[in-house]
Amino acid sequence: MDRMETRVSIIIPIFNVSGYLVDCLESCISQTYKNLEFICIDDGSTDDSGSIVEHYGEIDGRFKIIHKPNGGLPSARKAGIEIASGEYIFHLDGDDSIPADAIEQLVGIAIKDDADIVIGDYLKIDEDENKIYIDSRLNGVQTGEACLNSILAGGLFNIWGKLIRRSLYIKNQIHIPLRISIGEDLVQMIQLSCYSQRVSSCKTATYNYYVRPTSMSKQDKNVTGSLTDRSIYAVQFITDFLKDKVPALTLNLLRGFVKRFIMQYMRSPYPVSIRRKELSDLVSFINEDKDMRAIRTFQDLICRIAANSLPLAKELVRMSKIYKQ
């Protein structure tokens, strides 16, 4: 297939980002690749975001505008996917932007490799415009299983900045349960990787990710604990989704992933009583495999103790932090 015949739908969820939105939309219409549609989902914005996207809809016919009540990021992206017509989808947040040749680079690799997903590197840009190049750490063409294993081993799992074959969403009913408010990208990428045959990498930056001063990490004094507490539903979903359908290597990586999360929760300021059932289910999953019960590290010890007493495991982690000070 000729690359210029390959239509790409750029899905842009928007909520109160009027100060950054023009840069985002200008980066879209400046793309060197032209066979595009821009699906802007105004997710109940109360600032000028809605009128800004309407203006761009008037000057460029490739824009499709949806105004909907606020439902959160997953629902906004879902609304965009439902009306997308491209063979591939590209997710772009309304306060970020993309280099002018981003889509051209990604489509070229998708066509060459017949890839279901093409993963680009990206630039992380802070409020002082300092840029850090983030490497996806994937090279060449991988299987979906290899991509899945990379994520479980601690690799990048952002949904934005990737070219994704739309049929993966349609044929496999990729979904995010409503109670998941943190970890949506992780849940989505786990599912997409599981159903992919070929995943390619683009070793250039195809996304500009901006760290904004208004982000949660700047405002929430207990952000680590808060994010950990809220992400437990994502970890629980991933465990339930994968545990009966993946080979032994991936299952071991999944158990290691869950073990690291449990340790992270034990370090958070939140009492285990809040998530007793969820934590108990995750600890039980780890201990289903006798090889995972071996105590080689402090993390192993805490997970073994947690199987009998979550409060005791929590207290031991707290005491270890005091001792290290």
Side-chain angles (χ1 to χ4, degrees):
M1 181 184 294
D2 183 271
R3 72 169 64 183
M4 296 308 292
E5 295 179 359
T6 303
R7 189 169 180 80
V8 176
S9 302
I10 299 181
I11 296 177
I12 311 169
I14 297 163
F15 179 71
N16 290 351
V17 289
S18 59
Y20 315 113
L21 188 54
V22 170
D23 287 342
C24 174
L25 301 181
E26 285 292 330
S27 76
C28 288
I29 62 178
S30 299
Q31 289 299 297
T32 55
Y33 191 84
K34 301 303 180 184
N35 194 357
L36 303 170
E37 66 176 357
F38 313 118
I39 303 177
C40 299
I41 305 94
D42 172 23
D43 191 37
S45 295
T46 56
D47 62 2
D48 293 332
S49 295
S51 59
I52 291 172
V53 294
E54 285 293 341
H55 170 71
Y56 277 85
E58 293 171 0
I59 63 176
D60 192 320
R62 294 176 295 173
F63 279 88
K64 294 181 180 179
I65 314 299
I66 298 175
H67 298 282
K68 61 183 283 297
N70 181 254
L73 187 57
S75 76
R77 286 175 174 161
K78 182 174 184 288
I81 292 167
E82 287 174 349
I83 68 166
S85 63
E87 181 177 346
Y88 285 93
I89 282 171
F90 183 91
H91 293 285
L92 170 63
D93 288 350
D95 57 349
D96 293 329
S97 66
I98 47 179
D101 64 345
I103 304 301
E104 183 174 5
Q105 294 273 359
L106 293 167
V107 170
I109 292 171
I111 300 303
K112 176 175 68 71
D113 295 339
D114 189 25
D116 293 316
I117 301 175
V118 183
I119 298 175
D121 297 340
Y122 66 92
L123 292 177
K124 184 176 181 180
I125 307 172
D126 67 19
E127 54 192 294
D128 297 319
E129 294 296 318
N130 298 310
K131 299 178 181 179
I132 301 174
Y133 190 97
I134 306 297
D135 192 318
S136 68
R137 299 182 183 176
L138 288 176
N139 296 293
V141 183
Q142 308 280 335
T143 63
E145 182 183 325
C147 182
L148 174 62
N149 290 348
S150 173
I151 293 171
L152 292 175
L156 299 176
F157 55 82
N158 48 286
I159 196 72
W160 42 258
K162 295 174 171 62
L163 203 64
I164 302 167
R165 201 186 295 273
R166 183 168 63 95
S167 60
L168 290 178
Y169 284 99
I170 307 305
K171 293 179 180 179
N172 302 294
Q173 298 183 328
I174 306 299
H175 73 289
I176 302 172
L178 290 176
R179 66 178 181 174
I180 295 177
S181 60
I182 292 293
E184 307 100 318
D185 283 19
L186 176 62
V187 166
Q188 205 169 156
M189 276 305 300
I190 290 289
Q191 294 176 79
L192 290 167
S193 299
C194 196
Y195 294 123
S196 295
Q197 299 298 314
R198 296 168 66 83
V199 179
S200 293
S201 58
C202 178
K203 304 315 295 178
T204 58
T206 58
Y207 197 93
N208 298 320
Y209 170 74
Y210 288 88
V211 180
R212 303 296 184 184
T214 54
S215 68
M216 181 183 296
S217 60
K218 298 284 186 178
Q219 299 181 55
D220 190 342
K221 294 180 180 179
N222 289 320
V223 65
T224 301
S226 176
L227 296 183
T228 299
D229 183 64
R230 291 163 60 191
S231 63
I232 196 167
Y233 294 124
V235 176
Q236 194 172 40
F237 174 90
I238 290 164
T239 303
D240 292 340
F241 177 76
L242 290 177
K243 65 182 181 182
D244 296 323
K245 65 175 62 175
V246 294
L249 172 61
T250 302
L251 195 61
N252 282 337
L253 288 170
L254 175 60
R255 286 196 170 98
F257 171 83
V258 173
K259 186 182 288 188
R260 292 193 301 275
F261 174 80
I262 290 172
M263 192 66 183
Q264 183 177 327
Y265 201 97
M266 294 299 172
R267 291 191 178 109
S268 80
Y270 285 71
V272 292
S273 58
I274 295 177
R275 304 295 183 201
R276 184 180 299 277
K277 182 183 185 306
E278 292 85 356
L279 286 168
S280 296
D281 289 345
L282 293 174
V283 169
S284 296
F285 166 68
I286 290 174
N287 287 293
E288 287 173 6
D289 186 343
K290 63 181 181 181
D291 291 337
M292 297 298 285
R293 300 179 192 177
I295 298 176
R296 304 181 185 91
T297 66
F298 182 64
Q299 177 177 270
D300 295 333
L301 174 64
I302 293 303
C303 288
R304 288 294 292 130
I305 292 173
N308 297 302
S309 174
L310 290 170
L312 178 58
K314 179 81 171 179
E315 180 63 15
L316 285 174
V317 171
R318 187 186 72 83
M319 292 300 295
S320 72
K321 290 167 64 177
I322 294 173
Y323 179 75
K324 286 179 181 178
Q325 292 174 352

